[in-house]
């Protein structure tokens, strides 16, 4: 498993979140999982706690550890490393957080305990205020859009605004025509993008792909971004990528652009 001695877990991790005096900061926990602090709001994006064969980064906290800290949980789509049944059940039971998820997965979220006034079910282009932040839903293309017959998009990214900061977490997506134009209305303090790529071998086994690292770099390169953060490259050996390739490509093609690649649970003000 990929875990260094410096990695914070459990109560220690959330104590670090509590004690953070920076107006905004993030902690990356592997795959697409982030803790985001924006002012007094603390957001979990795609928390992934379930044990799974081949998992290289263990779950770094339990729902009880987040009690009294997390104000919102954002889930991007219904794959187990994004809408994780264990994580949603624990966080809905152990915290007072509200949840944001694609409307296409409303029934799934409700079955896991996130329901009623605590669930904000969104579709592409919609905006909600949840847990102390503003969340704009932007459809993602996980190889395909897979829009439902009633016009719902099952894969979502989120532009999150709070404490004078703006970030974008794409969830799982490939580059799609119009994405850069959609995002160009914002200036981003942080941008979280997958870099694990896609190919026929993985797709034939049901492993749906994302941007290759060059596409992620070019998406960020065409936007007003202070810090770009690659993600979704470390959890499973069969679906991995080397983030130094992303960082090197950005350095050559977009000199002066800041990229963060670092250890899990490091506090990163932004």
């Amino acid at each position: 498993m990929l875990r260094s001695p410096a990695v914070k877990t459990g109560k220690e991790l959330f104590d670090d979140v509590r004690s953070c005096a920076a107006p905004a900061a993030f902690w990356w926990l592997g795959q697409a999982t982030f803790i985001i602090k924006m002012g007094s709001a603390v957001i979990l994006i795609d928390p992934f706690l379930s044990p799974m064969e081949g998992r290289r980064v263990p779950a770094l906290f339990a729902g009880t550890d987040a009690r009294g800290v997390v104000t919102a949980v954002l889930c991007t789509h219904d794959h187990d490393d994004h809408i994780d049944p264990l994580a949603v059940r624990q966080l809905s039971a152990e915290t007072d957080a509200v949840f944001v998820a694609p409307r296409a997965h409303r029934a799934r979220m409700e079955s896991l305990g996130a329901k009623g006034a605590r669930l904000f079910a969104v579709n592409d282009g919609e905006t909600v205020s949840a847990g102390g932040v503003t969340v704009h839903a932007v459809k993602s293309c996980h190889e395909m859009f897979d829009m439902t017959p009633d016009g719902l998009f099952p894969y979502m990214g989120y532009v999150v605004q709070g404490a004078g900061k703006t970030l974008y977490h794409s969830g799982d997506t490939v580059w799609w025509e119009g994405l850069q134009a959609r995002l160009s209305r914002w200036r981003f303090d942080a941008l979280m993008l997958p870099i694990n790529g896609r190919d026929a071998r993985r797709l034939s086994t049901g492993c749906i792909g994302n941007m290759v690292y060059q596409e992620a770099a070019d998406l960020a390169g065409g936007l007003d971004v202070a810090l770009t953060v690659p993600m979704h490259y470390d959890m499973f050996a069969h679906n991995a990528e080397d983030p130094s390739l992303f960082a090197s490509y950005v350095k050559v093609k977009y000199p002066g652009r800041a990229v963060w690649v670092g250890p899990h649970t490091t506090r990163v003000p932004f």
Side-chain angles (χ1 to χ4, degrees):
M1 288 186 175
L2 302 177
R3 180 166 157 185
S4 76
V7 167
K8 296 179 283 290
T9 61
K11 184 177 182 298
E12 180 189 16
L13 172 60
F14 283 94
D15 283 346
D16 190 45
V17 177
R18 284 189 183 93
S19 66
C20 178
F26 69 79
W27 294 253
W28 178 54
L29 309 188
Q31 196 73 330
T33 305
F34 288 83
I35 301 172
I36 310 288
K37 179 183 181 295
M38 290 176 152
S40 61
V42 176
I43 303 97
L44 264 170
I45 304 181
D46 283 348
F48 179 33
L49 303 181
S50 291
M52 192 174 290
E53 184 178 355
R55 180 172 180 156
R56 300 198 298 173
V57 181
L60 299 176
F61 71 94
T64 52
D65 300 316
R67 189 181 297 156
V69 184
V70 174
T71 59
V73 179
L74 278 53
C75 297
T76 62
H77 63 283
D78 194 15
H79 291 158
D80 284 349
D81 53 337
H82 299 270
I83 293 180
D84 172 25
L86 179 62
V88 176
R89 286 192 184 101
Q90 286 191 2
L91 291 164
S92 62
E94 300 291 347
T95 77
D96 295 324
V98 297
F99 292 78
V100 180
R103 191 172 302 133
H105 306 312
R106 180 195 293 273
R108 173 68 163 158
M109 294 295 292
E110 290 176 339
S111 75
L112 299 173
K115 53 190 174 182
R118 293 182 65 188
L119 177 61
F120 294 84
V122 296
N123 200 28
D124 179 47
E126 297 179 351
T127 298
V128 295
S129 295
V133 293
T134 299
V135 180
H136 308 272
V138 179
K139 65 185 178 183
S140 287
C141 183
H142 200 3
E143 297 265 10
M144 301 288 209
F145 283 119
D146 291 334
M147 185 175 65
T148 66
D150 49 350
L152 301 180
F153 289 89
Y155 315 121
M156 207 65 66
Y158 300 114
V159 174
V160 185
Q161 295 182 297
K165 302 289 186 176
T166 302
L167 69 84
Y168 172 61
H169 184 295
S170 69
D172 280 0
T173 193
V174 300
W175 179 296
W176 53 268
E177 186 67 32
L179 175 58
Q180 197 169 64
R182 281 279 299 274
L183 296 176
S184 65
R185 61 177 282 200
W186 291 286
R187 180 206 176 269
F188 293 102
D189 298 284
L191 202 71
M192 287 82 172
L193 301 174
I195 64 165
N196 58 294
R198 60 196 182 277
D199 54 43
R201 175 187 57 82
R202 282 179 283 183
L203 188 58
S204 69
T205 64
C207 182
I208 307 172
N210 292 317
M211 288 184 279
V212 299
Y213 70 83
Q214 297 96 328
E215 290 172 319
D218 288 336
L219 176 62
L223 297 171
D224 187 355
V225 181
L227 181 65
T228 303
V229 183
M231 65 175 183
H232 209 289
Y233 59 80
D234 64 322
M235 187 64 70
F236 299 103
H238 70 278
N239 198 22
E241 185 54 278
D242 179 355
S244 70
L245 297 175
F246 173 84
S248 296
Y249 187 75
V250 172
K251 183 177 181 179
V252 171
K253 192 168 184 180
Y254 304 100
R257 291 297 189 101
V259 171
W260 182 85
V261 176
H264 303 116
T265 72
T266 298
R267 182 199 294 184
V268 185
F270 69 93

